Amino acid sequence: MASGPIMLVPMCLVENKNEQMSVNKKALKILCKISQQVVVVAIVGLYRTGKSYLMNCLAREKKGFPLGSTVQSETKGIWMWCVPHPSKPNHTLVLLDTEGLGDVEKGDPKNDSWIFTLAVLLSSCFVYNSMSTINHDALEKLHYVTELTELIRAKSSPPKHGVEDSTGFVSFFPDFIWTVRDFTLELKLNGHPITEDQYLENALKLIPGLNPKAKSSNIPRECIRHFFPKRKCFVFDRPTKETELLAHIDDILESQLDPKFRKQSENFCNYIFTHARTKTLREGVQVTGNRLGTLVVTYVETINSGAVPCLENAVTTLAQIENSAAMQKAAEHYSQQMAQRVSFPTDTLQELLDQHAACEREAIAVFMVNSFKDDQRVFQKKLLEIIKNTKESFLQKNEQASVKYCQYTLDQLSMALMDAISEGNFSVPGGHNNYRRAKERVEQRYWDVPRKGVKAKEVFQDFLQSQMPIEKSILQADRTLTQGQKAIEEERARKEAAEMEKERLRQKHWEQQQQMEAQNRSLQENMVQLREKLEWERDEALREQTRILEHRMKTQEEFLNNGFKKKADGMKAEIDHLRSTIESMKKSKTPLISQVLDTFANEATAILSIPANLVGKGLKALSSLFK
């Protein structure tokens, strides 16, 4: 695990003591060091059903999560094991083993419900482990799934248009795997062989009838079908026929386990390694280890406060933290790259501005990759201002380096001239002509020196100005020149100085233009990358809504095919609303994005202090790119 610590053994992530949950700071510290994306597999089930053994298999270790050998529940709270993912490069596999449900030693059964809820919220692959068969009793024991609508909220605001908040669960709930241990039945239905998945789907079929018992039995079936569109089943034989060995299964040799059980365990692990998805929140926000740590803290604190965990609120909290970190990461990237690439002083201002543009482009990309839900562009605007200020400090450093180098160069080249002046060598007949030739040699040699930087002309002009009274004194003392010649020479010197001042002002104006154009390019680059991100987010939201619609339509079709017309008809309003939402998203895509870009452009313009005429030209050019 290149981007985080390697865990040799599991560690408690969520402690559950005295019916109060808390996050283990040591485990949280480990998660926060994992910058890789994570695949999170959580397992839940009744206590003493062998959950921990399967998790050890996924860690590819015989020992790790405690198995225990008594009727007491061994695992308390939620334990975590972070290991390198065996088949997904640059991913970490996070294994979460939960305390057994239905432990008689617990006081408050609500505690089980919160453990179950946390496992659902944190995982990308949710494994429910049970014994023997999937029958009415097994489904009754899975009543926790029926409580999810009361224990989880997708959005902070009340649902509208009669669509239940739980409809959105599909967009962020994990895949569902039911593992059945000590399975002794034949996989047959009506005398025909069936697969494990078909066995699960048959068990989840709704029971016909309007009597209370049928309705009650159908509730967990409906919830599983409703919340978990992607389902999988694995059945396992007994690990060994020797009962005494079962109590110490982590100590026995692989050869002592039933070959069929070993193969079934291998199939289970291979499926997880191959198909378990990266943990993703709504609208395609992928979760890293440090993001998972923030979610754990947010959910546990919410539960302890007596409130119901809300995904939207959790994502908002996470976004604030992550966007701040993304902004800092991008700003540091800009500073580091500028420091590495720029050699002071640069020969021209444009050379520095070109490097700035390249580094800024990369920094914005870093921010875009690591940020999400920066809805008001707060952090992007802060980054824009940070980069602007950092660039100005680099410009100042570049000018200082140029002044220092030019001054040093002039001091070296004019040393003989200054010595001659001090010794009075030019205070003789014909001295002015000698002085001019000596000064011209200094000038020629000065301009021959390469890479003097942006202050080369200004420093040399200052040098010439410092020489004007000296030259005037030498000129007046030169007896070989008539008064008329002296007047001509004085006028020539004044014109040279005036022309030099004009050139300095022209250069200053040109540099101001270059900087304004650079600011405009900065705005355009921000807007180009922002537009790409907005389009991706909108497309991802559209795909998410489409997946929900497809799932609900499939559920409606299943209701109709199985004779539950009333339930199918009851879904019409929800399906119509989803269709309307999707159509609205398609139609409003371009106008909404344009509105966001216009708002950002106005706010960014104020930050960058760009003249309106330049902004207008830039936006016109930018808009043409997307026609």
Side-chain angles (χ1 to χ4, degrees):
M1 196 188 311
S3 67
I6 295 174
M7 292 182 68
L8 299 177
V9 293
M11 179 182 292
C12 187
L13 174 63
V14 179
E15 297 174 345
N16 186 14
K17 294 180 180 179
N18 301 321
E19 299 173 10
Q20 184 79 3
M21 287 186 284
S22 62
V23 181
N24 181 357
K25 291 182 179 179
K26 289 184 179 179
L28 187 63
K29 190 175 181 181
I30 290 173
L31 272 182
C32 291
K33 289 181 179 178
I34 299 175
S35 58
Q36 292 180 340
Q37 294 172 359
V38 291
V39 175
V40 187
V41 181
I43 190 165
V44 300
L46 298 181
Y47 74 107
R48 310 306 316 136
T49 54
K51 302 186 306 299
S52 299
Y53 175 82
L54 287 180
M55 299 306 269
N56 287 342
C57 287
L58 289 174
R60 297 187 290 185
E61 297 286 350
K62 279 190 67 65
K63 293 185 178 182
F65 290 109
L67 304 183
S69 58
T70 70
V71 295
Q72 287 185 308
S73 176
E74 190 70 26
T75 306
K76 297 294 183 183
I78 299 177
W79 283 64
M80 174 187 78
W81 202 349
C82 302
V83 297
H85 198 289
S87 60
K88 284 182 187 278
N90 302 317
H91 281 68
T92 296
L93 180 62
V94 180
L95 304 173
L96 301 179
D97 188 15
T98 64
E99 66 179 74
L101 305 176
D103 188 350
V104 293
E105 295 181 1
K106 290 182 189 175
D108 185 3
K110 189 75 170 178
N111 207 257
D112 281 346
S113 299
W114 284 126
I115 292 293
F116 187 95
T117 300
L118 276 174
V120 169
L121 286 170
L122 297 175
S123 65
S124 56
C125 182
F126 179 86
V127 182
Y128 180 71
N129 191 67
S130 69
M131 300 294 288
S132 186
T133 60
I134 302 177
N135 53 20
H136 174 74
D137 182 57
L139 285 163
E140 282 290 305
K141 289 175 180 174
L142 191 49
H143 63 86
Y144 307 100
V145 76
T146 68
E147 302 170 6
L148 290 175
T149 54
E150 299 172 9
L151 301 178
I152 297 174
R153 290 174 60 191
K155 295 186 176 181
S156 57
S157 56
K160 299 177 181 179
H161 307 287
V163 178
E164 294 181 10
D165 184 61
S166 60
T167 299
F169 287 2
V170 176
S171 63
F172 64 91
F173 265 25
D175 297 338
F176 181 88
I177 297 178
W178 195 321
T179 53
V180 187
R181 310 297 290 277
D182 295 359
F183 186 76
T184 56
L185 301 178
E186 280 191 274
L187 283 173
K188 285 187 176 182
L189 182 63
N190 299 324
H192 299 287
I194 57 173
T195 64
E196 295 158 300
D197 293 344
Q198 289 171 331
Y199 171 69
L200 172 61
E201 294 307 309
N202 183 66
L204 294 178
K205 280 186 177 179
L206 299 188
I207 300 172
L210 300 176
N211 61 79
K213 187 175 180 181
K215 286 184 178 180
S216 177
S217 297
N218 283 337
I219 293 175
R221 290 176 168 87
E222 281 191 70
C223 288
I224 293 172
R225 301 175 77 91
H226 180 42
F227 299 146
F228 305 102
K230 187 174 181 181
R231 301 180 291 271
K232 184 75 179 170
C233 181
F234 289 93
V235 299
F236 297 82
D237 285 32
R238 284 175 68 86
T240 176
K241 293 180 173 59
E242 299 181 41
T243 307
E244 63 274 12
L245 292 180
L246 288 175
H248 306 284
I249 193 170
D250 54 339
D251 292 321
I252 68 175
L253 299 172
E254 282 289 313
S255 59
Q256 293 177 281
L257 292 173
D258 185 281
K260 197 171 181 181
F261 175 79
R262 292 207 310 267
K263 182 61 178 174
Q264 291 163 338
S265 300
E266 182 184 342
N267 290 341
F268 168 76
C269 291
N270 287 338
Y271 178 85
I272 295 289
F273 295 153
T274 306
H275 294 95
R277 298 175 296 148
T278 301
K279 174 65 179 173
T280 306
L281 303 176
R282 301 185 74 169
E283 298 179 11
V285 177
Q286 295 193 314
V287 177
T288 57
N290 52 324
R291 289 179 178 179
L292 183 65
T294 301
L295 290 175
V296 173
V297 172
T298 303
Y299 291 141
V300 170
E301 286 180 349
T302 302
I303 291 169
N304 286 338
S305 72
V308 174
C310 172
L311 180 75
E312 187 174 58
N313 291 343
V315 172
T316 299
T317 300
L318 181 61
Q320 290 290 315
I321 297 170
E322 288 293 297
N323 291 344
S324 178
M327 177 189 71
Q328 187 64 36
K329 185 175 183 180
E332 289 174 357
H333 178 89
Y334 173 81
S335 296
Q336 290 169 359
Q337 291 302 310
M338 283 290 286
Q340 290 175 17
R341 299 180 193 183
V342 177
S343 179
F344 295 109
T346 60
D347 199 29
T348 63
L349 173 62
Q350 193 60 51
E351 181 184 335
L352 178 61
L353 293 177
D354 287 345
Q355 291 290 2
H356 154 74
C359 294
E360 183 180 42
R361 186 181 306 113
E362 294 174 12
I364 297 169
V366 168
F367 175 77
M368 292 299 179
V369 167
N370 292 281
S371 64
F372 61 94
K373 284 190 73 64
D374 185 19
D375 295 336
Q376 301 303 314
R377 318 301 149 200
V378 172
F379 293 96
Q380 187 177 358
K381 287 182 287 186
K382 284 182 180 178
L383 175 63
L384 184 68
E385 188 169 10
I386 290 171
I387 289 178
K388 176 196 171 188
N389 293 337
T390 307
K391 181 198 74 173
E392 288 174 355
S393 71
F394 275 108
L395 289 171
Q396 188 177 26
K397 185 177 180 181
N398 192 45
E399 290 178 356
Q400 290 170 348
S402 177
V403 168
K404 185 177 180 180
Y405 182 59
C406 290
Q407 193 62 59
Y408 171 79
T409 301
L410 264 179
D411 288 346
Q412 295 297 309
L413 294 175
S414 64
M415 190 177 295
L417 174 67
M418 301 307 291
D419 287 345
I421 293 171
S422 298
E423 293 169 4
N425 293 350
F426 301 120
S427 300
V428 295
H432 181 259
N433 190 45
N434 294 337
Y435 168 80
R436 282 191 55 78
R437 285 201 301 269
K439 189 175 71 169
E440 286 170 359
R441 283 195 298 272
V442 170
E443 181 175 3
Q444 183 178 353
R445 290 172 184 171
Y446 176 78
W447 292 118
D448 285 343
V449 175
R451 296 192 65 82
K452 293 182 293 298
V454 295
K455 290 294 184 179
K457 289 181 179 178
E458 189 173 317
V459 170
F460 191 73
Q461 185 185 16
D462 290 342
F463 169 75
L464 291 180
Q465 286 179 338
S466 70
Q467 291 296 306
M468 286 181 68
I470 297 173
E471 182 176 359
K472 186 175 182 180
S473 175
I474 293 172
L475 179 64
Q476 293 300 326
D478 194 337
R479 296 175 184 175
T480 61
L481 297 175
T482 64
Q483 289 299 320
Q485 289 174 320
K486 290 179 180 180
I488 292 172
E489 286 297 320
E490 285 183 3
E491 181 63 24
R492 180 195 55 73
R494 279 194 296 272
K495 285 183 177 180
E496 281 184 358
E499 185 58 37
M500 183 66 73
E501 177 63 16
K502 284 181 183 179
E503 177 61 26
R504 188 184 69 81
L505 291 174
R506 278 195 296 268
Q507 181 179 349
K508 187 173 183 180
H509 177 71
W510 170 235
E511 288 177 353
Q512 287 174 341
Q513 284 294 110
Q514 285 180 302
Q515 291 212 46
M516 283 291 99
E517 288 171 6
Q519 299 285 62
N520 192 41
R521 284 195 299 272
S522 176
L523 172 62
Q524 291 185 47
E525 184 61 41
N526 270 274
M527 292 184 64
V528 166
Q529 294 200 35
L530 174 57
R531 185 180 189 104
E532 290 174 354
K533 188 173 181 68
L534 289 170
E535 288 180 339
W536 181 88
E537 288 176 345
R538 180 59 58 181
D539 290 343
E540 189 62 33
L542 191 59
R543 283 191 289 269
E544 185 178 286
Q545 290 297 312
T546 303
R547 284 195 297 269
I548 294 173
L549 174 61
E550 290 171 350
H551 171 55
R552 301 310 287 146
M553 289 177 66
K554 182 181 177 182
T555 302
Q556 185 186 48
E557 184 181 1
E558 289 172 349
F559 279 148
L560 284 171
N561 292 339
N562 289 284
F564 293 90
K565 187 176 184 303
K566 190 174 181 180
K567 285 185 176 293
D569 291 343
M571 297 181 66
K572 185 177 184 303
E574 178 187 350
I575 289 174
D576 287 345
H577 174 67
L578 285 169
R579 282 179 174 147
S580 175
T581 300
I582 290 171
E583 285 304 311
S584 177
M585 289 172 71
K586 288 178 179 178
K587 289 178 182 177
S588 63
K589 175 181 175 181
T590 302
L592 282 175
I593 290 177
S594 297
Q595 185 179 352
V596 171
L597 289 174
D598 288 344
T599 301
F600 177 79
N602 291 332
E603 294 169 342
T605 298
I607 294 171
L608 294 170
S609 305
I610 305 175
N613 62 327
L614 271 180
V615 176
K617 291 178 183 177
L619 291 181
K620 186 176 180 181
L622 181 65
S623 62
S624 67
L625 294 175
F626 301 105
K627 288 181 178 177

